[in-house]
Each structure stands twice: as C-alpha cells, then as structure tokens.
Amino acid sequence: MSKIDTFIFDLGGVLIDWQPEFVYLDEFKGDREKMQWFFDNICTSDWNENQDAGYPMAKATEERVALFPEHESLIRMFYGRWVEMLGDEISGTVDILKKLIDSKEYKVVALTNWSAETFPIALDKFEFLHWFEGIIVSGEEKTRKPFDEIYHLTLNRFNIKAKNAIFIDDNARNIEAANNLGINGIRFNNPEQLIEDLKTHNIHL
C-alpha cells in the first residue's frame, strides 16, 4: 500500500449540507413525490451540473423557462433562492478536516463541482474553506467531475501522485472516475463511517 500524503475533499454533501429541498419542500407543501418529479424532469441534476461546469446561470434559467413556461416561478427559484439551499457545515467532517490539517502530515485540497457564480457566497460563509492549500472549482475550470480532465488538473496543479492521494466524495460516479485514474476513493456517507474507512488506509484520527 502506498503511503498516503494527500487528501482531496469534495465539498457539497461532504463538508457542506447543500440541498434544494430546503427551498422546494415548502413550495410543494411537503409533498416529496411531487418535488422529486420536479427535480427528475425540470430542474434536473444534469441541468444544474452544466452550470457547475461554467454555463451562465441566468442563461440556463431563461432556457429552462422557455422549455417549461408552466413551471416558470419554480424554475426561477432554483438560482434566485440558491442561498437558502446552502445549509450548515457538516461539523463531524470539518473536525476530521481540521485534524488532518493540524497534523501537518498531509497536503489537503478540495475538488468541487460548483458554479463560479455562487462559490464566493460559500467562501464568505464557511471559514474552513480557507484552510485548504487550494480548491479546484469546476465552474472556474469549465469542466467538472466525473470527467478525467478535472482530476488530472487537480493532480498536476498541486503536484499530487494519484496512488498517494485519498479522494473523498459522496457521489459514487465521481469515486469510480477517481479510482480509474489510480486515486484512492472513499465514498462519503457520514463522518463516523469516514473515520472507519480511513483506518483501512492506516490513518487513525
């Protein structure tokens, strides 16, 4: 087993609780089935990820409204009320992040699918985002996970050897892409499980 010297953290769903349902569950009067239909068919994850890869949010919104005019008000909420979807930090993971950084044994960076237009809001809200040696923001790079390009960019920019790095992400698709490039991926479910998974790499916190 290679000696781990680097950690690459995803942000949303790992360190930050970002959820559109913080806005939409009220709009759908608590009806999760109707809300899920909206996310599966109108403001889909694929559509949002296109903005994470640098597509302008205003243009994306107008195009979606043109396609689904009957849902205009709900579509405009997605970015119009985006700040309300930004929940709190996931404190258990932030504690893990702090221990890794404080140990001074590891390089610690972040790799996030996030629109360049909204990322400054997160930077203002979360102090721990300033702890990283660097952050790759997909919207700034005009590409995103799970495409190989953004992983290669991360490895090259921070002089990381894939076999010596652990990548932590809540999306199985992104983990698989990292594994295919020789990066050690850990699928995040919760902070307690992450601590246990780190032990398999001989990292004890």
Side-chain angles (χ1 to χ4, degrees), residues 8-16 18-20 45-55 57 78-79 82 86 109-120 122 129 135-151 153-154 167-175 177:
I8 306 167
F9 277 84
D10 175 36
L11 298 179
V14 174
L15 285 155
I16 297 170
W18 179 84
Q19 296 191 48
S45 58
D46 282 349
W47 173 74
N48 181 51
E49 283 193 324
N50 198 40
Q51 283 65 266
D52 286 346
Y55 198 76
M57 293 191 307
F78 199 91
Y79 295 122
W82 182 89
L86 195 60
V109 301
L111 168 58
T112 183
N113 279 1
W114 205 304
S115 167
E117 295 178 65
T118 54
F119 193 65
L129 291 178
I135 301 176
I136 299 287
V137 178
S138 61
E140 295 173 358
E141 308 299 340
K142 303 295 192 286
T143 184
R144 62 172 175 81
K145 298 173 287 187
F147 301 125
D148 287 357
E149 182 183 3
I150 202 161
Y151 296 95
L153 183 72
T154 304
F167 171 58
I168 301 160
D169 196 296
D170 63 321
N171 189 313
R173 176 199 66 182
N174 297 340
I175 292 295

Side-chain angles (χ1 to χ4, degrees), residues 39-185:
F39 293 146
D40 289 344
N41 294 279
I42 310 298
C43 288
T44 65
S45 58
D46 282 349
W47 173 74
N48 181 51
E49 283 193 324
N50 198 40
Q51 283 65 266
D52 286 346
Y55 198 76
M57 293 191 307
K59 188 174 182 184
T61 299
E62 296 309 321
E63 290 171 351
R64 192 92 334 192
V65 167
L67 278 176
F68 305 104
E70 68 276 22
H71 297 289
E72 178 174 1
S73 64
L74 289 169
I75 292 167
R76 293 194 184 282
M77 269 175 216
F78 199 91
Y79 295 122
R81 294 177 61 187
W82 182 89
V83 173
E84 296 171 54
M85 301 177 194
L86 195 60
D88 295 326
E89 66 180 46
I90 300 172
S91 58
T93 322
V94 175
D95 290 343
I96 293 168
L97 173 69
K98 189 172 192 309
K99 286 177 182 176
L100 292 171
I101 292 172
D102 286 351
S103 76
K104 302 194 186 312
E105 292 181 50
Y106 309 103
K107 180 180 296 184
V108 185
V109 301
L111 168 58
T112 183
N113 279 1
W114 205 304
S115 167
E117 295 178 65
T118 54
F119 193 65
I121 298 168
L123 278 175
D124 283 344
K125 181 171 182 177
F126 299 108
E127 172 61 29
F128 68 82
L129 291 178
H130 301 273
W131 300 350
F132 289 102
E133 187 165 322
I135 301 176
I136 299 287
V137 178
S138 61
E140 295 173 358
E141 308 299 340
K142 303 295 192 286
T143 184
R144 62 172 175 81
K145 298 173 287 187
F147 301 125
D148 287 357
E149 182 183 3
I150 202 161
Y151 296 95
H152 288 306
L153 183 72
T154 304
L155 297 175
N156 292 335
R157 184 168 297 174
F158 301 118
N159 194 27
I160 298 166
K161 289 183 178 175
K163 66 180 181 178
N164 297 339
I166 289 178
F167 171 58
I168 301 160
D169 196 296
D170 63 321
N171 189 313
R173 176 199 66 182
N174 297 340
I175 292 295
E176 183 181 357
N179 287 340
N180 289 340
L181 295 173
I183 302 167
N184 302 284

